[in-house]
Amino acid sequence: MSNKPPPPRPAPRLYLATPVVDDPAALLAELPALLASADVAAVLLRLKETDHRTMISRIKALAPLVQKAGAALLVDGHAELVARGGADGAHLPGIAALKEALPSLKPDRIAGVGGLTTRHHSMDAGEMGADYVLFGEPDAKSQRPSAQAIAERLDWWAELFEPPCVGFATSLEEAHDFALSGADFVLVGDFIWSDPRGPKAALIEADAAIKKAHATATASQNPAGSEHG
């Protein structure tokens, strides 16, 4: 057996959730500069509920712009609209939704899942073929675990399982802490869009925070001067 240390985890990347989109005009104008300013792996499109035709047109308007920037566009729910709108995948709110959506998404599109209230559910999602698991999003009553509990869940998952894990951050501090805990991606949303300096400044700061956390974690795992025999 080899005593070589495991390869370092790649630096975490941002996953940007949009505001709830009705008219996409403002987002179409703002997104290109945002996506160019930071390392955004994916955009989660949160659509205002309306008829399918209208929602598909919203996806079609935004998907090429996001994809041109090198990011993936995922639709929040509505897996049935993904292919028709040209999106890259969907984020599903729990095991039942994941199971229902997998046949329409796989193998060509991304199926991410949240709403995982127990470790058992998380492992079920991984075994079913989820492309990522999200920890820390609010439930229907806007309740969520403590930041410490979310960080512990991320650390547990990153240590044991192969599929990427995502931490749902509601502040810059959480973005840093979740990256430090082993999140592969950090989902940021409302606190980016509501920043008084504007979303670009907030997104750049969040990107720097998760990169700094990763550097700290990497340094602690491989202290200078240590010997591997």
Side-chain angles (χ1 to χ4, degrees):
M1 290 181 62
S2 170
N3 289 329
K4 287 171 64 177
R9 294 177 73 89
R13 301 183 68 195
L14 289 169
Y15 184 5
L16 176 64
T18 70
V20 176
V21 174
D22 185 5
D23 179 355
L27 198 58
L28 284 167
E30 200 163 23
L31 263 181
L34 270 180
L35 297 177
S37 70
D39 181 23
V40 178
V43 173
L44 180 63
L45 176 57
R46 302 192 290 193
L47 289 166
K48 182 177 180 181
E49 293 289 334
T50 182
D51 63 278
H52 278 190
R53 181 183 295 241
T54 301
M55 288 195 285
I56 289 167
S57 74
R58 304 277 187 263
I59 300 169
K60 284 183 174 179
L62 289 159
L65 184 153
V66 172
Q67 292 157 351
K68 185 179 178 182
L73 181 74
L74 278 75
V75 181
D76 193 8
H78 300 293
E80 73 280 3
L81 306 183
V82 167
R84 292 160 68 190
D88 296 288
H91 174 76
L92 292 318
I95 290 288
L98 174 68
K99 187 173 183 178
E100 183 180 340
L102 278 171
S104 67
L105 294 172
K106 291 295 191 175
D108 299 322
R109 290 180 168 84
I110 298 165
V113 63
L116 304 168
T117 54
T118 68
R119 293 189 177 196
H120 183 71
H121 280 167
S122 309
M123 291 187 285
D124 284 348
E127 289 172 2
M128 288 168 63
D131 290 294
Y132 68 76
V133 293
L134 171 69
F135 300 127
E137 80 273 38
D139 63 18
K141 298 179 180 178
S142 298
Q143 303 294 310
R144 66 196 290 261
S146 68
Q148 181 180 349
I150 297 165
E152 288 172 357
R153 184 68 59 88
L154 290 163
D155 182 61
W156 162 75
W157 184 271
E159 188 76 24
L160 297 175
F161 302 101
E162 193 66 31
C165 57
V166 185
F168 185 108
T170 61
S171 66
L172 185 68
E173 292 75 23
E174 286 187 359
H176 174 275
D177 291 349
F178 295 165
L180 194 62
S181 297
D184 299 283
F185 302 92
V186 177
L187 182 66
V188 296
D190 293 346
F191 82 93
I192 297 294
W193 301 103
S194 63
D195 193 296
R197 301 167 300 167
K200 184 176 178 181
L203 195 66
I204 290 170
E205 193 172 49
D207 192 31
I210 67 174
K211 297 295 191 287
K212 180 180 178 183
H214 177 68
T216 301
T218 303
S220 69
Q221 290 165 1
N222 301 293
S226 66
E227 292 184 10
H228 301 293

